[in-house]
Amino acid sequence: MQKLVISGEKKICGEISVQGAKNAALPLLAGCVLARGETVLHNCPRLSDVYASTRILTHLGCRCCRKGDSVIISSDVISRSDIPEELMREMRSSIVFLGAVIGRTGKCCLSFPGGCELGPRPIDMHISALRQMGVSICEEYGVLRCEASKGLHGAKITLSFPSVGATENVIMAAALAKGETVIRNAAREPEITDLADFLNLCGARIYGAGTSTVRISGVEQLQGCEHRVMPDRIVATTYLGAAAITGGEVSLIGSKPEDIEAILSVFEEMGCNIYNYGDCIYMSCHKPLKSVKTIRTMPYPGFPTDAQSIMLSVLSKAKGTSIMVENIFESRYRQVGELVRMGCMIKTEGKVAIIEGVRKLYGARVVATDLRGGAALVLAGLGAQGETVISNIKLIDRGYEAIEKSLSEIGADIRRITEAT
Ligand code: UD1
């Protein structure tokens, strides 16, 4: 079993490039199903979830290969429209293939994604939207059988919550549907804009992505193209958090400051200095960190839920009491028990976490509970005295390209070991 071993209290200092975004790459890979011919996705991160997506694409009949940081997908032939259960289980977000597969083939059979480490992950909005577009869906023993026997047609869809996945699924299903689809209360995350930009380059007609009303005029056919995956907002936040918790400084190359304004303003409130130069963010944290009043996770452009765990670790070393309110997922404080073992003083009740800042954190043996919770343990380890050993790191590898290499480049003492148990 692989583990991360961190020797803490080493100041982060240096310049680092931000990898391509997992949450953009996964829907982009699904979107390749819609486009005939060859698509090249540059800056595609080397992650287990990306690999799981290419396995789904291969199963569907596409040819996929990697050349350096690019993934090349040929989807002239889509020979199947089912996604086997083992591939669905490997990655809960594989539900984003539903809209693409049904858009291209008129049908799709996949297993229900079920619950995950963040709590129940319902897909009622995805299902209801696709039904409005002419898809009949029946669920039997955890398997969803979806078919648009008369083809997909446009519809006016109002989401009851701006779900990222539901917005992506509807955009993909609508790209080749007959007529116009309008999504109201659409999610506005930058990853949605990246998907729409990609599909538009392939020939789609998607307007308003990044706003709460997205209009899609269905076209006959899409053709593969070359596209660069946007930088990962949460990986960028992780490096900033590493600099903050160690009292260091970092320059992020190839990042988009405008996509993480809600996060940058929290770091500023904590007393960090931030300068943006084009696609570079420089942050220094040479003064003791200050607590912040209340952070509420919200859909974009609010504070992202994926940055919540990371911020909990950083706030643990800030002077004073901070409050976090998690509004998006039910079970997103599972790493707190592990953080407490390291000396963090965090209490949770329902959606709320109260973080009392402490002077010192202490290295411990801890277990990653989910992807971002795992990253939070890495940050706590960087800021802790002594040695931290993190196990179950396959969860961290879902979203970070060799996290130990990136953090070592900027001064962390972190390595990956393989142990028998
Ligand atoms: C995406 C991101 C994930 C991020 C989340 C919120 C990917 C691969 N994952 O997940 O990292 O944390 O956005 O920013 O991009 N919901 C329903 N019914 C539905 C759909 C969603 O009740 O049909 C609920 C969810 O349970 C959750 C909330 O809506 O409470 C937000 O979920 P959603 O925006 O859909 O998140 P994902 O697309 O799954």
Side-chain angles (χ1 to χ4, degrees):
M1 189 204 263
Q2 294 200 325
K3 294 181 179 174
L4 288 172
V5 181
I6 303 166
S7 176
E9 291 190 327
K10 309 278 186 300
K11 269 193 202 318
I12 290 294
C13 182
E15 208 178 85
I16 190 160
S17 314
V18 178
Q19 70 181 57
K22 168 182 91 77
N23 286 356
L26 304 184
L28 290 171
L29 287 163
C32 291
V33 172
L34 291 164
R36 283 165 204 268
E38 192 174 275
T39 294
V40 185
L41 293 178
H42 299 294
N43 200 30
C44 198
R46 286 178 181 77
L47 302 171
S48 49
D49 276 10
V50 166
Y51 180 57
S53 297
T54 56
R55 285 181 56 209
I56 293 177
L57 287 169
T58 308
H59 172 85
L60 294 171
C62 303
R63 278 181 290 124
C64 304
C65 70
R66 179 178 274 281
K67 275 199 185 141
D69 80 345
S70 307
V71 171
I72 304 160
I73 304 104
S74 303
S75 40
D76 272 322
V77 180
I78 299 292
S79 49
R80 313 182 62 124
S81 54
D82 65 307
I83 304 177
E85 190 178 350
E86 71 268 18
L87 292 178
M88 284 300 289
R89 276 190 191 279
E90 224 168 277
M91 188 182 63
R92 302 283 173 197
S93 44
S94 45
I95 190 66
V96 83
F97 274 87
L98 173 58
V101 173
I102 204 152
R104 174 82 184 261
T105 68
K107 56 187 178 183
C108 184
C109 178
L110 40 73
S111 67
F112 203 82
C116 74
E117 67 267 17
L118 305 182
R121 211 91 180 235
I123 52 164
D124 52 307
M125 281 185 252
H126 303 237
I127 291 178
S128 141
L130 290 174
R131 281 198 171 122
Q132 290 176 68
M133 298 177 73
V135 182
S136 70
I137 302 178
C138 82
E139 191 205 330
E140 265 178 356
Y141 311 113
V143 174
L144 284 177
R145 288 179 206 286
C146 313
E147 190 160 3
S149 49
K150 294 184 189 145
L152 285 154
H153 56 74
K156 289 194 171 24
I157 292 158
T158 301
L159 298 177
S160 55
F161 181 87
S163 153
V164 176
T167 304
E168 291 166 345
N169 253 332
V170 176
I171 288 177
M172 287 201 262
L176 295 175
K178 213 169 166 8
E180 190 187 62
T181 300
V182 181
I183 315 172
R184 296 199 193 279
N185 200 25
R188 292 182 282 166
E189 270 68 2
E191 291 76 12
I192 307 251
T193 312
D194 204 34
L195 174 65
D197 288 348
F198 161 71
L199 291 173
N200 284 342
L201 262 182
C202 294
R205 290 167 61 199
I206 303 164
Y207 312 96
T211 74
S212 51
T213 304
V214 181
R215 288 174 200 276
I216 308 110
S217 289
V219 296
E220 286 287 317
Q221 195 170 308
L222 297 178
Q223 193 61 38
C225 70
E226 281 191 41
H227 178 81
R228 188 174 173 79
V229 180
M230 63 172 277
D232 197 303
R233 298 183 286 142
I234 308 305
V235 170
T237 307
T238 308
Y239 297 151
L240 295 173
I245 204 164
T246 60
E249 57 184 80
V250 70
S251 293
L252 305 184
I253 313 295
S255 51
K256 281 184 155 180
E258 65 274 22
D259 287 350
I260 55 170
E261 274 176 13
I263 294 166
L264 294 179
S265 68
V266 172
F267 280 117
E268 275 180 329
E269 203 183 329
M270 293 172 81
C272 305
N273 292 314
I274 299 171
Y275 304 95
N276 301 329
Y277 307 96
D279 73 345
C280 173
I281 303 174
Y282 167 79
M283 187 174 95
S284 66
C285 321
H286 298 310
K287 289 188 236 139
L289 298 172
K290 293 182 283 188
S291 58
V292 297
K293 284 199 181 86
T294 306
I295 304 174
R296 293 183 175 82
T297 66
M298 297 280 190
Y300 189 84
F303 189 91
T305 172
D306 287 352
Q308 175 261 101
S309 325
I310 293 161
M311 213 44 104
L312 236 52
S313 292
V314 181
L315 289 170
S316 289
K317 275 195 88 177
K319 192 170 185 305
T321 304
S322 309
I323 294 177
M324 178 70 77
V325 185
E326 170 55 57
N327 289 310
I328 310 292
F329 287 108
E330 270 178 33
S331 309
R332 216 161 191 184
Y333 288 132
R334 290 181 53 198
Q335 83 285 10
V336 165
E338 303 298 303
L339 288 176
V340 168
R341 290 166 69 104
M342 300 180 70
C344 293
M345 282 182 46
I346 306 174
K347 285 199 180 112
T348 61
E349 198 171 318
K351 292 172 154 200
V352 179
I354 299 168
I355 309 111
E356 304 275 0
V358 295
R359 274 172 185 268
K360 275 233 170 262
L361 297 178
Y362 300 93
R365 296 183 79 83
V366 287
V367 183
T369 51
D370 62 271
L371 162 56
R372 305 302 170 189
L377 297 179
V378 171
L379 288 201
L382 296 178
Q385 181 184 319
E387 189 176 86
T388 297
V389 181
I390 307 175
S391 53
N392 206 19
I393 59 170
K394 61 178 189 300
L395 293 175
I396 301 175
D397 292 335
R398 286 187 43 220
Y400 293 83
E401 237 180 6
I403 193 167
E404 72 284 6
K405 284 199 185 134
S406 325
L407 290 171
S408 299
E409 272 174 35
I410 49 175
D413 184 341
I414 173 170
R415 63 203 156 90
R416 186 180 290 253
I417 57 160
T418 304
E419 268 186 7
T421 49

